[in-house]
Amino acid sequence: MPAITLPDASVRLFDGPVTGTAVAEAIGPGLARAALVMKLDGKLVDMSTVIEHDASVAFVTRRDDDALEMIRHDAAHVLAEAVQDLFPGTQVTIGPSIENGFYYDFARNDPFTPEDFSAIEAKMREIITRGAKFVRQEMSREDAIAFFQAKGEKYKAQLIEDLPRDQTISLYSQGEWVDLCRGPHLRSTADVGMAFKLMKVAGAYWRGDHRNAMLSRIYGTAWRDQKELDAYLHQLEEAERRDHRRIGKDMGLFHIQEEAVGSVFWHPKGWKLYRTVEAYLRRRLDANGYQEVRTPQLVDRSLWEKSGHWDNYRQHMFIAQVEEEDKFLALKPMNCPCHIQIFRQGMRSYRELPLRLAEMGCCHRYEPSGALHGIMRVRQFTQDDAHIFCTDEQIASETARFISLLSQVYSDMGFPTFRIKFSDRPQARIGSDADWDKAEAALREACQIAGVTFELNPGEGAFYGPKLEFVLRDAIGRDWQCGTLQVDPNLPERLDAEYVGEDGARHRPIMLHRAIFGSFERFLGILIEQYAGRFPLWLAPVQAVVATIVSDADAYAEDVAAAFRRAGLEVRTDLSNQKINAKVREHSLAHVPVLAVVGRNEAANRTVALRRLGSPAQEILPLAEAVARLKAEATPPDLRESTGATEFA
RNA sequence: GCCGGCAUAGCUCAGCGGUAGAGCAACUGAUUCGUAAUCAGUAGGUCCACAGUUCGAUUCUGUGUGCCGGCACCA
């Protein structure tokens, strides 16, 4: 006699066990039509699930987010059926829903190509139109393995074998086609709807392990209705326009060419942007108790052997040799060992701690060819690196202080929000559990002091210590780790860094590796996408263009430009023989934030007509006032603060 | 590195087994014009590289390189 509590707190009684479908029907035919799946005591289950006991039930309709995820999951099943129907002999593996869509990994000798999509999509529509009900069936482990073995589905059989012993094995059929699946599912394939599209093919390793076979993955997107699908596709097109590679080319910021794969040629405008960002960061670091250093680019292999990098990362290092000498030098892949060399010069006292050594360190790493991506992942990059040498007790306060600095910098750069991942102890690690406890607790405490929350990234820490990763998202929704903070008791040990404590004895410092941007290249790539090239005035590589309407105003335009320049603005003149409409268009497309238009009127009155990027409005100001206003507006955020509010003691 | 796709003018792209075209940009000339494209003309190419098939390859095949999308990797 189940009593069913509905979301509005009303209770309905049933004579005996009842399915979700029957409950929905009892409530009303409208709900029965709309209910795709139900939440039984908070857990999503099929509508056909039989409710035996008192429970709370909520029905999920197409409007709910849960439904969207199910639509995608079911779309993956439909895709798999379509593929197996069209390409006999293809084995299925896994096919989950993901952000914005779904994918399915297939095992097949000939990988799929985008040319296969139209046939597959047509078959999917057929399956959806047919609308076969999803039917759940549970099987014993042995039966399920035998079932899939008999079908030649080796991957599925292996999946079941690797499931925990006590796990219920469930299969879902949609008409003739059956898949191993935990469920739940919509009522039938018809509920998937037609708002889906296959997007791309990709190789993917079985179980994400590069030693395994490569499968052929098909990605799709699926939505509640056509309108949502269209909106998503439109959004993708928009995102493409924000791509830093596109904008970098259009705005003439940088390029990369075959002779220097993975290394950036910064053009004047791009380098101006770089320098603006670098100067800003340097001021922030100076104000936060960092001391900047500079260390060698080429360092003898012996140091890398001592640090342990030679053994672990040798194949990712660029090695240099000269004929006269029988030695190997490595282009530094990181700055840490060099900073320790500076720490080791002379005798250090606990009084000097925490010692914060910063370097805009140019590093080289031989990244796998497939990892390279525009300027986001390159082989030569400059880290905004720093190492804080401190005591155990200082880890938490130094970390909190760092998070505060990083938050300020991200906010100034136009990223009010970012994600933090906390990577704790991995399986393979060094150091005692007590040390790990201490380091992890310090990071947690620091997050609490800084008032930030994090997602746990279990087991993903470095082998020597836990870390925080600060993640920003690019235009296409890809996440990139930018900032980082790692607790490292290991390298100081290996490279023999020590200080004299209050007790007069020698101690090992803890080393905090930390970066805010991670690499300038990556951060600038994300920055370009964040603003889609339309930078705020203080960051814009060309801040203003003075454009003339008639050539009579040429001399005055030069005066205006000179005045802007004196105020520290990066300005160009456009005296070309073109209509003002064309000039407006040209400089708008070039994302110049301020257009100062001068014609006969302005020349006669010593005024300028300012036009801001993206707005048709114009403001006519006396030259001196325009200069003062733009100068104030172009002031970097850290120089606007009236006092050193963010400085620490 | 692995799977798939792509590589033609500065850019975006057509095209074809008989050695190439458009738009924009560039350059020249005319136009002096009030807020997102003034008009006309000119010039611009080892069709990524190498090998093979062919009477003939930018086009077909193979290899290499680079790029793009994923996967793996990211000290």
Side-chain angles (χ1 to χ4, degrees):
Chain A
M1 188 81 170
I4 300 204
T5 310
L6 297 167
D8 64 0
S10 65
V11 177
R12 283 182 180 250
L13 296 174
F14 292 86
D15 295 337
V18 63
T19 64
T21 312
V23 175
E25 278 166 356
I27 295 169
L31 182 64
R33 272 195 303 278
L36 299 176
V37 65
M38 67 173 160
K39 257 189 174 156
L40 181 61
D41 290 329
K43 194 174 157 237
L44 283 174
V45 297
D46 300 324
M47 286 297 288
S48 58
T49 302
V50 176
I51 306 166
E52 316 226 5
H53 308 288
D54 293 358
S56 76
V57 167
F59 292 101
V60 174
T61 68
R62 213 167 176 78
R63 283 192 301 275
D64 297 308
D65 285 343
D66 286 329
L68 190 52
E69 203 180 318
M70 309 253 324
I71 287 168
R72 290 169 180 162
H73 178 196
D74 288 10
H77 278 244
V78 170
L79 166 62
E81 179 182 350
V83 162
Q84 290 205 309
D85 193 74
L86 292 169
F87 305 92
T90 303
Q91 290 185 66
V92 287
T93 68
I94 58 160
S97 70
I98 53 173
E99 193 171 8
N100 299 324
F102 59 93
Y103 69 77
Y104 210 111
D105 285 348
F106 300 99
R108 183 166 181 253
N109 288 337
D110 299 313
F112 296 103
T113 75
E115 286 172 13
D116 299 322
F117 284 179
S118 63
I120 298 172
E121 283 177 344
K123 181 59 78 177
M124 287 174 72
R125 286 199 192 86
E126 204 181 304
I127 294 164
I128 290 165
T129 305
R130 204 184 297 145
K133 283 195 163 33
F134 286 105
V135 179
R136 181 186 173 96
Q137 180 193 0
E138 293 185 3
M139 259 191 203
S140 75
R141 185 189 186 82
E142 290 67 30
D143 288 353
I145 292 171
F147 175 79
F148 283 107
Q149 289 285 17
K151 279 162 56 105
E153 299 283 5
K154 293 184 303 195
Y155 290 91
K156 284 288 180 194
Q158 196 184 327
L159 280 175
I160 300 168
E161 275 173 26
D162 294 346
L163 285 174
R165 283 258 144 218
D166 54 351
Q167 175 125 7
T168 311
I169 311 286
S170 59
L171 279 61
Y172 278 81
S173 59
Q174 51 201 62
E176 296 297 298
W177 194 81
V178 186
D179 197 2
L180 171 74
C181 185
R182 188 173 22 172
H185 276 278
L186 302 167
R187 298 167 303 189
S188 77
T189 56
D191 286 337
V192 171
M194 295 298 179
F196 69 90
K197 182 173 161 53
L198 299 184
M199 302 296 285
K200 53 198 177 193
V201 290
Y205 297 106
W206 167 236
R207 301 206 146 157
D209 189 328
H210 67 97
R211 289 164 301 193
N212 289 342
M214 175 137 301
L215 307 171
S216 182
R217 173 175 298 181
I218 297 179
Y219 281 97
T221 186
W223 298 84
R224 295 178 180 86
D225 53 43
Q226 190 65 33
K227 209 172 132 193
E228 280 189 355
L229 173 61
D230 290 343
Y232 173 67
L233 296 176
H234 179 70
Q235 184 201 321
L236 283 186
E237 282 173 31
E238 288 296 306
E240 215 166 299
R241 275 191 263 280
R242 299 175 84 93
D243 192 308
H244 76 282
R245 294 165 295 192
R246 174 83 263 142
I247 293 172
K249 194 178 263 182
D250 288 347
M251 290 181 73
L253 301 177
F254 59 81
H255 85 274
I256 295 176
Q257 68 186 48
E258 220 172 303
E259 288 81 358
V261 171
S263 302
V264 184
F265 289 79
W266 287 101
H267 296 12
K269 282 189 215 166
W271 191 243
K272 174 80 184 172
L273 174 65
Y274 186 114
R275 289 203 306 157
T276 302
V277 169
E278 183 186 43
Y280 160 84
L281 185 71
R282 186 168 273 135
R283 289 192 302 269
R284 284 281 187 216
L285 292 176
D286 286 348
N288 274 273
Y290 287 85
Q291 303 181 75
E292 191 170 327
V293 299
R294 188 74 168 173
T295 61
Q297 210 58 238
L298 282 167
V299 178
D300 193 88
R301 76 185 263 183
S302 57
L303 184 62
W304 306 111
E305 284 169 349
K306 275 185 223 154
S307 71
H309 293 105
W310 190 265
D311 282 343
N312 289 315
Y313 294 103
R314 169 159 169 22
Q315 65 276 34
H316 297 292
M317 290 164 71
F318 287 96
I319 311 298
Q321 277 178 282
V322 286
E323 284 183 22
E324 286 74 15
E325 286 187 57
D326 183 27
K327 44 171 152 175
F328 292 94
L329 300 170
L331 274 169
K332 68 175 172 187
M334 50 178 7
N335 309 297
C336 341
C338 294
H339 288 184
I340 293 187
Q341 302 317 302
I342 293 178
F343 185 88
R344 277 165 43 87
Q345 295 301 113
M347 190 67 83
R348 295 288 177 182
S349 154
Y350 74 97
R351 291 171 191 275
E352 294 178 75
L353 307 186
L355 182 73
R356 310 182 189 95
L357 297 182
E359 179 171 8
M360 310 297 179
C362 179
C363 296
H364 290 80
R365 294 180 187 174
Y366 184 74
E367 301 286 8
S369 57
L372 301 175
H373 178 89
I375 62 173
M376 305 272 221
R377 185 92 182 263
V378 284
R379 288 181 177 157
Q380 179 195 305
F381 53 95
T382 301
Q383 294 180 324
D384 62 317
D385 204 3
H387 295 94
I388 302 173
F389 296 88
C390 64
T391 63
D392 287 353
E393 293 69 36
Q394 290 166 334
I395 296 174
S397 58
E398 281 302 305
T399 302
R401 181 184 166 119
F402 170 70
I403 294 173
S404 165
L405 171 62
L406 174 139
S407 305
Q408 176 75 64
V409 170
Y410 281 10
S411 160
D412 286 345
M413 288 291 163
F415 301 97
T417 61
F418 52 89
R419 289 164 53 209
I420 302 180
K421 291 198 212 163
F422 185 139
S423 299
D424 64 7
R425 65 191 79 184
Q427 292 278 330
R429 59 175 183 271
I430 59 172
S432 70
D433 281 357
D435 286 343
W436 277 90
D437 288 344
K438 230 180 347 185
E440 288 173 2
L443 288 191
R444 275 176 217 279
E445 189 195 337
C447 288
Q448 205 184 354
I449 296 171
V452 294
T453 53
F454 55 79
E455 310 155 28
L456 196 61
N457 208 9
E460 293 295 314
F463 70 93
Y464 49 75
K467 60 182 177 184
L468 297 177
E469 293 169 26
F470 302 85
V471 177
L472 292 174
R473 184 163 278 206
D474 73 9
I476 318 169
R478 285 186 279 219
D479 286 334
W480 296 90
Q481 182 201 308
C482 291
T484 185
L485 181 138
Q486 301 167 21
V487 182
D488 182 5
N490 175 55
L491 214 50
E493 176 74 34
R494 275 180 166 266
L495 295 180
D496 195 27
E498 56 185 23
Y499 66 92
V500 178
E502 208 173 348
D503 57 4
R506 297 187 177 202
H507 299 274
R508 291 276 176 231
I510 293 285
M511 194 176 183
L512 301 180
H513 308 249
R514 42 104 297 164
I516 297 174
F517 297 153
S519 88
F520 278 82
E521 287 78 3
R522 173 174 297 182
F523 190 80
L524 289 173
I526 291 176
L527 193 67
I528 289 166
E529 299 196 354
Q530 170 80 357
Y531 286 113
R534 304 157 82 96
F535 297 107
L537 194 60
W538 77 279
L539 285 173
V542 174
Q543 295 172 306
V545 166
V546 182
T548 52
I549 293 172
V550 290
S551 51
D552 288 354
D554 285 2
Y556 178 60
E558 296 289 8
D559 287 351
V560 172
F564 281 11
R565 218 165 267 132
R566 277 196 299 277
L569 293 165
E570 187 70 26
V571 62
R572 307 282 152 90
T573 55
D574 182 353
L575 311 183
S576 64
N577 181 8
Q578 279 186 103
K579 286 168 67 166
I580 192 64
N581 298 19
K583 295 187 185 184
V584 167
R585 178 179 152 82
E586 184 185 330
H587 303 300
S588 297
L589 289 175
H591 302 141
V592 176
V594 173
L595 191 60
V597 177
V598 296
R600 288 199 185 93
N601 295 337
E602 287 77 10
N605 303 322
R606 306 287 296 175
T607 57
V608 291
L610 293 186
R611 182 195 163 109
R612 303 307 181 119
L613 177 60
S615 163
Q618 38 179 318
E619 194 178 12
I620 297 175
L621 296 174
L623 176 55
E625 191 182 335
V627 169
R629 224 188 255 194
L630 293 177
K631 184 178 180 179
E633 200 181 318
T635 304
D638 62 307
L639 297 180
R640 280 178 207 180
E641 293 153 6
S642 48
T643 61
T646 59
E647 281 183 35
F648 289 80

